[in-house]
């Protein structure tokens, strides 16, 4: 038997192995890693939870996004309530006032936290938005058949029972945010107003959060209910009145004919008008052919005593 014949026989019987096979496996593995990384990034972006927790959730549910997200929320809720109970005794005097004015209805809420640093956090501001719109929905459901002027004041306990859409209660949302940010928080109070077609609602927020547009937020807020005003200038009039209420902190309305009693004056109408110190608020309103019917002022962290 020749050596040539023997070599041909051996090479014919040896299985053919493609030199490209390991490369293909490596390519497939890279694709899987890229897909898993994309899922991880998507889950992280949609939930806001840490990469470690998102990775753990995806591994637990074999990359099922819906189940992973549900599990993350459940775990965060449990941790939030646990942390909320531990932080319950800590003072929460900082926070934000949220104001929203819609079609003949308005809402003003106060949500508190421990520090101004957390008040500037986007997650805390989302909580303020949730509280504002949950309160507005409650107002509309409660007053949709009530004519005339309707004003409602909600306490902390009443706010906690409201829901965000058809989802979690505001109490759950607060606990969730506490779990994420690590500070004690509370729903302080809210006021809602609804007015008839011929009335106007003015508003003003001081110390505002510039990134917020839909819901105005700041450390001070005011709503003012008024009638009249020059055509097309009611919004400006409402803002000027709101600025005065925030700046001068009146405690009651007073009457158009009341005489002012100096710098200690606490009635709105006889106070010197902030935007024109040559006149009282009442004198300014006469020039605008308008009259104020009611107002509400919130200052973040104050003891409420003049909401009614």
């Amino acid at each position: 038997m020749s050596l040539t014949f023997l070599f041909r026989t051996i090479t014919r019987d040896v299985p053919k192995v493609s030199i490209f096979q390991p490369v293909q496996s490596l390519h497939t593995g890279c694709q899987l890693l890229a897909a898993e990384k994309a899922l991880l990034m998507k889950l992280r972006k949609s939930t806001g939870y840490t990469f470690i927790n998102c990775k753990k959730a995806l591994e637990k549910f074999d990359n099922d996004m819906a189940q992973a997200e549900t599990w993350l929320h459940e775990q965060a809720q449990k941790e939030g309530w646990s942390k909320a109970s531990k932080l319950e005794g800590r003072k929460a005097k900082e926070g934000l006032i949220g104001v929203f004015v819609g079609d003949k209805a308005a809402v003003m809420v106060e949500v508190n936290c421990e520090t101004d640093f957390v008040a500037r956090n986007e997650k805390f501001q989302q909580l303020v938005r949730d509280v504002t719109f949950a309160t507005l929905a409650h107002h509309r459901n409660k007053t949709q058949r009530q004519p005339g002027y309707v004003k409602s004041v909600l306490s902390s306990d009443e706010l906690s029972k409201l829901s965000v859409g058809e989802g979690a209660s505001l109490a759950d949302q607060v606990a969730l945010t506490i779990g994420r940010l690590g500070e004690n928080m509370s729903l302080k109070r809210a006021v809602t107003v609804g007015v008839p077609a011929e009335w106007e609602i003015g508003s003003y927020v001081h110390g505002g959060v510039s990134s917020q547009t839909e819901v105005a937020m700041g450390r001070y807020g005011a709503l003012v209910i008024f009638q009249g005003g020059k055509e097309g200038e009611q919004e400006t009039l409402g803002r000027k009145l709101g600025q005065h209420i925030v700046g001068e902190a009146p405690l009651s309305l007073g009457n158009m004919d009341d005489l002012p009693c100096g710098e200690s004056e606490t009635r709105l109408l006889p106070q010197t008008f902030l935007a024109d110190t040559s006149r009282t608020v009442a004198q300014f309103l006469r020039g605008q052919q308008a009259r104020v019917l009611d107002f509400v002022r919130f200052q973040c962290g104050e003891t409420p005593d003049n909401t009614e």
Side-chain angles (χ1 to χ4, degrees):
M1 182 184 294
S2 69
L3 288 174
T4 304
F5 176 77
L6 183 61
F7 178 75
R8 286 175 180 172
T9 303
I10 292 171
T11 54
R12 183 189 61 202
D13 294 337
V14 173
K16 293 181 178 179
V17 179
S18 171
I19 62 172
F20 296 106
Q21 187 173 339
V23 177
Q24 288 174 342
S25 299
L26 181 62
H27 179 66
T28 304
C30 288
Q31 285 182 320
L32 288 172
L33 284 172
E36 289 176 0
K37 186 177 179 181
L39 274 178
L40 180 58
M41 294 293 289
K42 185 177 179 182
L43 185 61
R44 169 80 171 87
K45 186 175 181 180
S46 65
T47 63
Y49 299 120
T50 64
F51 278 109
I52 293 173
N53 286 335
C54 289
K55 186 174 184 293
K56 183 178 178 182
L58 288 171
E59 289 172 350
K60 184 178 179 69
F61 295 100
D62 196 24
N63 289 336
D64 186 308
M65 280 282 291
Q67 289 189 52
E69 188 167 342
T70 299
W71 182 80
L72 281 168
H73 285 315
E74 289 172 353
Q75 295 304 304
Q77 195 68 71
K78 289 176 185 176
E79 291 173 14
W81 276 113
S82 174
K83 190 168 285 187
S85 64
K86 293 175 183 176
L87 301 179
E88 192 173 6
R90 283 166 42 170
K91 290 183 180 180
K93 292 287 189 179
E94 298 295 325
L96 289 170
I97 307 298
V99 174
F100 176 83
V101 179
D103 183 20
K104 299 300 176 183
V107 175
M108 185 160 61
V109 305
E110 180 180 354
V111 183
N112 296 130
C113 58
E114 294 180 48
T115 65
D116 182 58
F117 176 77
V118 162
R120 295 195 301 269
N121 186 281
E122 188 176 324
K123 290 182 177 64
F124 181 79
Q125 291 167 16
Q126 180 61 54
L127 175 63
V128 177
R129 280 194 293 272
D130 289 343
V131 174
T132 301
F133 288 122
T135 306
L136 179 65
H138 170 75
H139 166 79
R140 286 176 171 162
N141 290 335
K142 186 179 177 182
T143 64
Q144 56 185 342
R145 295 182 181 177
Q146 293 186 35
Y149 178 44
V150 181
K151 178 181 178 182
S152 178
V153 179
L154 283 78
S155 67
S156 176
D157 289 342
E158 290 169 320
L159 284 171
S160 296
K161 295 172 185 175
L162 302 184
S163 296
V164 182
E166 297 180 0
S169 70
L170 288 182
D172 285 337
Q173 289 296 101
V174 170
L176 187 62
T177 311
I178 289 173
R180 287 176 169 180
L181 300 181
E183 278 196 7
N184 189 25
M185 297 173 195
S186 64
L187 306 175
K188 183 73 166 286
R189 53 181 167 166
V191 62
T192 65
V193 295
V195 300
E198 66 275 14
W199 291 19
E200 306 291 339
I201 305 173
S203 68
Y204 178 70
V205 170
H206 183 72
V209 178
S210 59
S211 60
Q212 301 303 321
T213 54
E214 196 173 19
V215 175
M217 299 181 195
R219 288 193 54 79
Y220 301 83
L223 296 175
V224 55
I225 316 304
F226 64 97
Q227 271 185 305
K230 296 176 181 177
E231 191 65 33
E233 298 181 9
Q234 286 95 341
E235 185 177 346
T236 301
L237 173 59
R239 186 170 63 254
K240 286 182 177 180
L241 291 169
Q243 286 174 330
H244 176 93
I245 290 164
V246 164
E248 297 300 313
L251 301 178
S252 61
L253 183 60
N255 297 305
M256 293 291 282
D257 297 324
D258 284 343
L259 295 174
C261 60
E263 293 181 1
S264 61
E265 180 62 72
T266 60
R267 296 166 298 173
L268 171 64
L269 294 175
Q271 282 184 330
T272 301
F273 189 44
L274 198 61
D276 181 358
T277 55
S278 67
R279 295 187 283 181
T280 65
V281 174
Q283 290 168 341
F284 171 77
L285 288 169
R286 284 196 182 97
Q288 296 291 315
Q289 299 176 349
R291 67 186 184 112
V292 172
L293 305 163
D294 196 7
F295 70 91
V296 185
R297 178 186 184 273
F298 279 5
Q299 177 178 337
C300 195
E302 72 179 348
T303 302
D305 59 2
N306 63 331
T307 304
E308 297 289 355

